[in-house]
């Protein structure tokens, strides 16, 4: 079956630094990937849609200059949290569209802690 | 960003009993409805989906019911097992395969041995 890999699975960074999270489709090509964030005991909130070879589409209220998304190949999308602050601490999850599957395949998530 | 609801209701069931998890969705234009299971510290795992032109679909030990009149979706788990303990999310998606998946508030299911 389709597998989406996220790296790292967890990261701790200092306030003011930037962190890059990778999302890879391992056995299929993904022209479209999605990035979500999830706070404890809450639902997944869609941040942006990542399109291969073009600019990402951000949801309302999500700062595109703070959450940089790059989808340079058919198997890799990256999310960079720039100038991270403690309020950016969250669980970041990506998903990818795999052919005709209705429910997209999700990565295992990245726990970001900003100290 | 888009999300529906902020707090997590909980449901406790005895092992072996049937579980019913409910969800109210918002967009009458959604074409697909999906149930996911999320275990602690992991990403969501697809369980089952149903298209808007159906009202019932069955899988292995799970059944999804869709009532478009009242915008209600439910997931029934038969003979609930301890391994079913997790958070369950309903989600909705549009017609095209590029449409984003929007998640509902989720329900935490706890199975009592």
């Amino acid at each position: 079956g389709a597998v989406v890999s996220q790296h790292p699975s967890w990261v701790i960074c200092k306030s003011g630094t930037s962190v890059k999270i990778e999302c890879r489709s391992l056995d299929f090509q993904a022209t479209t990937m999605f990035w979500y964030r999830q706070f404890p005991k809450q639902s997944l909130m869609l941040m942006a849609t990542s399109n291969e070879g073009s600019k990402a589409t951000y949801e309302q209220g999500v700062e595109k200059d703070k959450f940089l998304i790059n989808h340079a190949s058919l198997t890799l999308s990256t999310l960079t949290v720039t100038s991270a602050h403690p309020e950016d601490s969250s669980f970041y999850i990506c998903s990818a569209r795999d052919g005709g599957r209705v429910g997209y395949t999700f990565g295992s998530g990245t726990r970001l802690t900003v100290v | 960003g888009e999300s529906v609801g902020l707090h997590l209701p909980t449901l406790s069931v005895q092992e072996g009993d049937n579980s019913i998890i409910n969800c109210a969705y918002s967009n009458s234009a959604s074409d697909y409805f999906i149930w996911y299971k999320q275990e602690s510290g992991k990403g969501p795992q697809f369980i089952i989906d149903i298209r808007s032109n159906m009202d019932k679909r069955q899988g292995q030990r799970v059944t999804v019911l869709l009532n478009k009149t009242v915008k209600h979706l439910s997931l029934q788990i038969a003979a609930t097992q301890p391994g079913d303990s997790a958070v369950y999310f309903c989600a909705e998606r549009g017609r095209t395969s590029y449409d984003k998946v929007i998640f509902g508030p989720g329900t935490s299911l706890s199975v009592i041995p």
Side-chain angles (χ1 to χ4, degrees), chain A residues 19-23 31-37 46-59 62-73 76-82 92-95:
Chain A
V19 174
K20 181 185 285 187
I21 302 169
E22 293 186 347
C23 179
T31 55
T32 304
M33 292 184 175
F34 302 89
W35 286 97
Y36 296 80
R37 68 188 296 182
L46 180 66
M47 299 175 67
T49 301
S50 173
N51 302 300
E52 188 267 335
S54 65
K55 291 183 178 181
T57 303
Y58 290 83
E59 295 299 308
V62 177
E63 300 176 59
K64 62 180 182 181
D65 294 331
K66 180 167 184 63
F67 299 100
L68 301 179
I69 292 172
N70 184 280
H71 194 153
S73 78
L76 174 64
S77 174
T78 61
L79 168 70
T80 300
V81 183
T82 63
Y92 291 87
I93 309 168
C94 69
S95 72

Side-chain angles (χ1 to χ4, degrees), chain B residues 45-94:
Chain B
Q45 176 187 359
F46 172 86
I47 301 174
I48 191 169
D49 66 80
I50 187 168
R51 196 163 185 183
S52 61
N53 60 356
M54 302 171 66
D55 53 22
K56 181 179 180 179
R57 191 175 185 201
Q58 288 185 293
Q60 187 175 11
R61 275 204 310 123
V62 294
T63 301
V64 56
L65 299 177
L66 174 64
N67 185 331
K68 293 184 290 295
T69 303
V70 294
K71 294 185 184 177
H72 184 267
L73 193 66
S74 70
L75 177 70
Q76 300 177 4
I77 305 174
T80 313
Q81 303 167 1
D84 295 327
S85 293
V87 177
Y88 290 81
F89 292 98
C90 65
E92 44 190 310
R93 208 204 85 181

